[in-house]
mmCIF file of all heavy atoms in Angstrom:
data_model
loop_
_atom_site.group_PDB
_atom_site.id
_atom_site.type_symbol
_atom_site.label_atom_id
_atom_site.label_comp_id
_atom_site.label_asym_id
_atom_site.label_seq_id
_atom_site.Cartn_x
_atom_site.Cartn_y
_atom_site.Cartn_z
ATOM 1 N N GLU A 1088 4.708 0.346 7.438
ATOM 2 C CA GLU A 1088 3.926 -0.071 6.280
ATOM 3 C C GLU A 1088 4.711 0.019 4.976
ATOM 4 O O GLU A 1088 4.469 -0.758 4.047
ATOM 5 C CB GLU A 1088 2.644 0.759 6.171
ATOM 6 C CG GLU A 1088 2.848 2.248 5.983
ATOM 7 C CD GLU A 1088 1.542 2.981 5.712
ATOM 8 O OE1 GLU A 1088 0.604 2.346 5.191
ATOM 9 O OE2 GLU A 1088 1.466 4.183 6.015
ATOM 10 N N PHE A 1089 5.669 0.934 4.861
ATOM 11 C CA PHE A 1089 6.402 1.110 3.620
ATOM 12 C C PHE A 1089 7.680 0.281 3.550
ATOM 13 O O PHE A 1089 8.377 0.316 2.539
ATOM 14 C CB PHE A 1089 6.714 2.592 3.396
ATOM 15 C CG PHE A 1089 5.479 3.443 3.290
ATOM 16 C CD1 PHE A 1089 5.162 4.354 4.282
ATOM 17 C CD2 PHE A 1089 4.617 3.314 2.216
ATOM 18 C CE1 PHE A 1089 4.018 5.131 4.203
ATOM 19 C CE2 PHE A 1089 3.465 4.079 2.120
ATOM 20 C CZ PHE A 1089 3.165 4.999 3.116
ATOM 21 N N ASP A 1090 8.003 -0.443 4.597
ATOM 22 C CA ASP A 1090 9.143 -1.364 4.582
ATOM 23 C C ASP A 1090 8.715 -2.819 4.673
ATOM 24 O O ASP A 1090 9.521 -3.715 4.417
ATOM 25 C CB ASP A 1090 10.086 -1.062 5.768
ATOM 26 C CG ASP A 1090 11.158 -0.042 5.416
ATOM 27 O OD1 ASP A 1090 11.054 0.587 4.342
ATOM 28 O OD2 ASP A 1090 12.082 0.146 6.217
ATOM 29 N N ALA A 1091 7.473 -3.063 5.026
ATOM 30 C CA ALA A 1091 7.038 -4.428 5.337
ATOM 31 C C ALA A 1091 7.258 -5.398 4.191
ATOM 32 O O ALA A 1091 7.705 -6.536 4.396
ATOM 33 C CB ALA A 1091 5.563 -4.412 5.742
ATOM 34 N N ASP A 1092 6.982 -4.980 2.960
ATOM 35 C CA ASP A 1092 7.099 -5.897 1.830
ATOM 36 C C ASP A 1092 8.542 -6.264 1.511
ATOM 37 O O ASP A 1092 8.789 -7.248 0.807
ATOM 38 C CB ASP A 1092 6.446 -5.287 0.587
ATOM 39 C CG ASP A 1092 4.926 -5.212 0.711
ATOM 40 O OD1 ASP A 1092 4.363 -5.959 1.529
ATOM 41 O OD2 ASP A 1092 4.309 -4.397 -0.009
ATOM 42 N N ALA A 1093 9.497 -5.505 2.010
ATOM 43 C CA ALA A 1093 10.909 -5.784 1.754
ATOM 44 C C ALA A 1093 11.533 -6.650 2.841
ATOM 45 O O ALA A 1093 12.718 -6.991 2.753
ATOM 46 C CB ALA A 1093 11.686 -4.473 1.629
ATOM 47 N N ILE A 1094 10.769 -7.009 3.848
ATOM 48 C CA ILE A 1094 11.242 -7.881 4.919
ATOM 49 C C ILE A 1094 10.753 -9.300 4.613
ATOM 50 O O ILE A 1094 9.546 -9.511 4.477
ATOM 51 C CB ILE A 1094 10.715 -7.412 6.288
ATOM 52 C CG1 ILE A 1094 11.245 -5.998 6.595
ATOM 53 C CG2 ILE A 1094 11.111 -8.380 7.395
ATOM 54 C CD1 ILE A 1094 10.588 -5.356 7.799
ATOM 55 N N PRO A 1095 11.645 -10.278 4.455
ATOM 56 C CA PRO A 1095 11.252 -11.603 3.971
ATOM 57 C C PRO A 1095 10.596 -12.495 5.021
ATOM 58 O O PRO A 1095 10.702 -13.718 4.947
ATOM 59 C CB PRO A 1095 12.569 -12.189 3.481
ATOM 60 C CG PRO A 1095 13.594 -11.573 4.340
ATOM 61 C CD PRO A 1095 13.107 -10.179 4.605
ATOM 62 N N VAL A 1096 9.930 -11.901 5.972
ATOM 63 C CA VAL A 1096 9.093 -12.613 6.930
ATOM 64 C C VAL A 1096 7.755 -11.875 6.929
ATOM 65 O O VAL A 1096 7.748 -10.640 7.035
ATOM 66 C CB VAL A 1096 9.711 -12.601 8.347
ATOM 67 C CG1 VAL A 1096 8.787 -13.298 9.337
ATOM 68 C CG2 VAL A 1096 11.082 -13.254 8.340
ATOM 69 N N PRO A 1097 6.633 -12.563 6.770
ATOM 70 C CA PRO A 1097 5.348 -11.855 6.689
ATOM 71 C C PRO A 1097 5.114 -10.950 7.884
ATOM 72 O O PRO A 1097 5.405 -11.304 9.031
ATOM 73 C CB PRO A 1097 4.333 -13.008 6.655
ATOM 74 C CG PRO A 1097 5.090 -14.160 6.069
ATOM 75 C CD PRO A 1097 6.489 -14.024 6.591
ATOM 76 N N THR A 1098 4.602 -9.752 7.605
ATOM 77 C CA THR A 1098 4.321 -8.764 8.636
ATOM 78 C C THR A 1098 2.850 -8.831 9.014
ATOM 79 O O THR A 1098 1.972 -8.634 8.171
ATOM 80 C CB THR A 1098 4.677 -7.348 8.143
ATOM 81 O OG1 THR A 1098 6.083 -7.296 7.862
ATOM 82 C CG2 THR A 1098 4.333 -6.302 9.187
ATOM 83 N N ASP A 1099 2.566 -9.096 10.274
ATOM 84 C CA ASP A 1099 1.187 -9.186 10.739
ATOM 85 C C ASP A 1099 0.553 -7.816 10.966
ATOM 86 O O ASP A 1099 -0.637 -7.632 10.738
ATOM 87 C CB ASP A 1099 1.127 -9.983 12.054
ATOM 88 C CG ASP A 1099 1.641 -11.403 11.897
ATOM 89 O OD1 ASP A 1099 1.304 -12.041 10.888
ATOM 90 O OD2 ASP A 1099 2.401 -11.856 12.776
ATOM 91 N N VAL A 1100 1.359 -6.864 11.440
ATOM 92 C CA VAL A 1100 0.855 -5.527 11.762
ATOM 93 C C VAL A 1100 1.703 -4.503 11.020
ATOM 94 O O VAL A 1100 2.915 -4.434 11.238
ATOM 95 C CB VAL A 1100 0.913 -5.255 13.279
ATOM 96 C CG1 VAL A 1100 0.364 -3.861 13.586
ATOM 97 C CG2 VAL A 1100 0.154 -6.314 14.046
ATOM 98 N N ARG A 1101 1.057 -3.727 10.154
ATOM 99 C CA ARG A 1101 1.760 -2.669 9.419
ATOM 100 C C ARG A 1101 1.571 -1.360 10.173
ATOM 101 O O ARG A 1101 0.435 -0.907 10.364
ATOM 102 C CB ARG A 1101 1.244 -2.574 7.987
ATOM 103 C CG ARG A 1101 1.619 -3.803 7.162
ATOM 104 C CD ARG A 1101 1.019 -3.784 5.768
ATOM 105 N NE ARG A 1101 1.471 -4.948 5.020
ATOM 106 C CZ ARG A 1101 2.260 -4.900 3.943
ATOM 107 N NH1 ARG A 1101 2.665 -3.729 3.482
ATOM 108 N NH2 ARG A 1101 2.640 -6.010 3.339
ATOM 109 N N LEU A 1102 2.681 -0.776 10.568
ATOM 110 C CA LEU A 1102 2.641 0.392 11.436
ATOM 111 C C LEU A 1102 2.666 1.680 10.617
ATOM 112 O O LEU A 1102 3.445 1.819 9.674
ATOM 113 C CB LEU A 1102 3.836 0.373 12.383
ATOM 114 C CG LEU A 1102 3.946 -0.852 13.290
ATOM 115 C CD1 LEU A 1102 5.267 -0.825 14.053
ATOM 116 C CD2 LEU A 1102 2.767 -0.922 14.251
ATOM 117 N N CYS A 1103 1.812 2.621 11.013
ATOM 118 C CA CYS A 1103 1.731 3.928 10.374
ATOM 119 C C CYS A 1103 2.088 5.009 11.388
ATOM 120 O O CYS A 1103 2.039 4.787 12.603
ATOM 121 C CB CYS A 1103 0.317 4.184 9.836
ATOM 122 S SG CYS A 1103 -0.262 2.952 8.660
ATOM 123 N N ASP A 1104 2.429 6.185 10.880
ATOM 124 C CA ASP A 1104 2.763 7.302 11.750
ATOM 125 C C ASP A 1104 1.624 7.585 12.713
ATOM 126 O O ASP A 1104 0.450 7.611 12.331
ATOM 127 C CB ASP A 1104 3.034 8.540 10.894
ATOM 128 C CG ASP A 1104 3.726 9.643 11.674
ATOM 129 O OD1 ASP A 1104 4.734 9.358 12.327
ATOM 130 O OD2 ASP A 1104 3.241 10.787 11.622
ATOM 131 N N ALA A 1105 1.964 7.783 13.978
ATOM 132 C CA ALA A 1105 1.024 8.106 15.060
ATOM 133 C C ALA A 1105 0.203 6.904 15.527
ATOM 134 O O ALA A 1105 -0.667 7.059 16.386
ATOM 135 C CB ALA A 1105 0.098 9.250 14.689
ATOM 136 N N ASP A 1106 0.461 5.707 15.006
ATOM 137 C CA ASP A 1106 -0.163 4.508 15.562
ATOM 138 C C ASP A 1106 0.337 4.280 16.984
ATOM 139 O O ASP A 1106 1.361 4.825 17.406
ATOM 140 C CB ASP A 1106 0.196 3.268 14.730
ATOM 141 C CG ASP A 1106 -0.658 3.117 13.487
ATOM 142 O OD1 ASP A 1106 -1.612 3.903 13.315
ATOM 143 O OD2 ASP A 1106 -0.343 2.220 12.676
ATOM 144 N N THR A 1107 -0.379 3.422 17.692
ATOM 145 C CA THR A 1107 0.063 2.964 19.010
ATOM 146 C C THR A 1107 0.162 1.450 18.990
ATOM 147 O O THR A 1107 -0.748 0.768 18.520
ATOM 148 C CB THR A 1107 -0.910 3.402 20.112
ATOM 149 O OG1 THR A 1107 -0.944 4.828 20.175
ATOM 150 C CG2 THR A 1107 -0.474 2.861 21.472
ATOM 151 N N ILE A 1108 1.277 0.928 19.458
ATOM 152 C CA ILE A 1108 1.427 -0.506 19.656
ATOM 153 C C ILE A 1108 1.809 -0.696 21.114
ATOM 154 O O ILE A 1108 2.642 0.044 21.641
ATOM 155 C CB ILE A 1108 2.461 -1.109 18.685
ATOM 156 C CG1 ILE A 1108 2.447 -2.635 18.778
ATOM 157 C CG2 ILE A 1108 3.851 -0.538 18.894
ATOM 158 C CD1 ILE A 1108 3.170 -3.316 17.616
ATOM 159 N N SER A 1109 1.178 -1.642 21.767
ATOM 160 C CA SER A 1109 1.347 -1.770 23.213
ATOM 161 C C SER A 1109 2.065 -3.047 23.592
ATOM 162 O O SER A 1109 1.998 -4.059 22.886
ATOM 163 C CB SER A 1109 -0.023 -1.735 23.907
ATOM 164 O OG SER A 1109 -0.650 -0.487 23.707
ATOM 165 N N VAL A 1110 2.744 -2.982 24.724
ATOM 166 C CA VAL A 1110 3.280 -4.165 25.380
ATOM 167 C C VAL A 1110 2.618 -4.202 26.752
ATOM 168 O O VAL A 1110 2.900 -3.376 27.620
ATOM 169 C CB VAL A 1110 4.827 -4.135 25.457
ATOM 170 C CG1 VAL A 1110 5.356 -2.832 25.999
ATOM 171 C CG2 VAL A 1110 5.343 -5.321 26.265
ATOM 172 N N GLY A 1111 1.683 -5.132 26.912
ATOM 173 C CA GLY A 1111 0.874 -5.143 28.124
ATOM 174 C C GLY A 1111 0.101 -3.849 28.261
ATOM 175 O O GLY A 1111 -0.596 -3.419 27.340
ATOM 176 N N HIS A 1112 0.258 -3.184 29.405
ATOM 177 C CA HIS A 1112 -0.435 -1.923 29.650
ATOM 178 C C HIS A 1112 0.387 -0.706 29.233
ATOM 179 O O HIS A 1112 -0.012 0.429 29.510
ATOM 180 C CB HIS A 1112 -0.784 -1.800 31.131
ATOM 181 C CG HIS A 1112 -1.756 -2.832 31.619
ATOM 182 N ND1 HIS A 1112 -2.775 -3.323 30.840
ATOM 183 C CD2 HIS A 1112 -1.856 -3.477 32.822
ATOM 184 C CE1 HIS A 1112 -3.469 -4.204 31.522
ATOM 185 N NE2 HIS A 1112 -2.932 -4.332 32.732
ATOM 186 N N VAL A 1113 1.510 -0.937 28.586
ATOM 187 C CA VAL A 1113 2.423 0.158 28.225
ATOM 188 C C VAL A 1113 2.255 0.512 26.748
ATOM 189 O O VAL A 1113 2.561 -0.313 25.876
ATOM 190 C CB VAL A 1113 3.882 -0.227 28.512
ATOM 191 C CG1 VAL A 1113 4.829 0.864 28.047
ATOM 192 C CG2 VAL A 1113 4.069 -0.518 29.994
ATOM 193 N N PRO A 1114 1.786 1.719 26.429
ATOM 194 C CA PRO A 1114 1.630 2.119 25.027
ATOM 195 C C PRO A 1114 2.929 2.678 24.461
ATOM 196 O O PRO A 1114 3.672 3.395 25.130
ATOM 197 C CB PRO A 1114 0.556 3.213 25.099
ATOM 198 C CG PRO A 1114 0.753 3.832 26.448
ATOM 199 C CD PRO A 1114 1.235 2.721 27.363
ATOM 200 N N LEU A 1115 3.197 2.342 23.212
ATOM 201 C CA LEU A 1115 4.343 2.854 22.479
ATOM 202 C C LEU A 1115 3.833 3.581 21.246
ATOM 203 O O LEU A 1115 3.079 3.017 20.452
ATOM 204 C CB LEU A 1115 5.273 1.717 22.062
ATOM 205 C CG LEU A 1115 5.774 0.795 23.176
ATOM 206 C CD1 LEU A 1115 6.456 -0.431 22.576
ATOM 207 C CD2 LEU A 1115 6.720 1.531 24.113
ATOM 208 N N ARG A 1116 4.226 4.825 21.088
ATOM 209 C CA ARG A 1116 3.775 5.642 19.961
ATOM 210 C C ARG A 1116 4.721 5.456 18.782
ATOM 211 O O ARG A 1116 5.940 5.485 18.929
ATOM 212 C CB ARG A 1116 3.693 7.103 20.379
ATOM 213 C CG ARG A 1116 3.301 8.069 19.284
ATOM 214 C CD ARG A 1116 2.873 9.413 19.861
ATOM 215 N NE ARG A 1116 3.841 9.942 20.803
ATOM 216 C CZ ARG A 1116 4.865 10.718 20.454
ATOM 217 N NH1 ARG A 1116 5.061 11.025 19.182
ATOM 218 N NH2 ARG A 1116 5.693 11.189 21.381
ATOM 219 N N VAL A 1117 4.158 5.284 17.595
ATOM 220 C CA VAL A 1117 4.932 5.047 16.380
ATOM 221 C C VAL A 1117 5.230 6.376 15.683
ATOM 222 O O VAL A 1117 4.336 7.206 15.496
ATOM 223 C CB VAL A 1117 4.171 4.117 15.414
ATOM 224 C CG1 VAL A 1117 4.952 3.932 14.115
ATOM 225 C CG2 VAL A 1117 3.901 2.766 16.068
#
């Protein structure tokens, strides 16, 4: 979330500490 605005491609999902983002059935902890 604190780097998204500095990346020149729009960010759809802003990640915060302890969030989970998944690939299929596999969870990845942020």
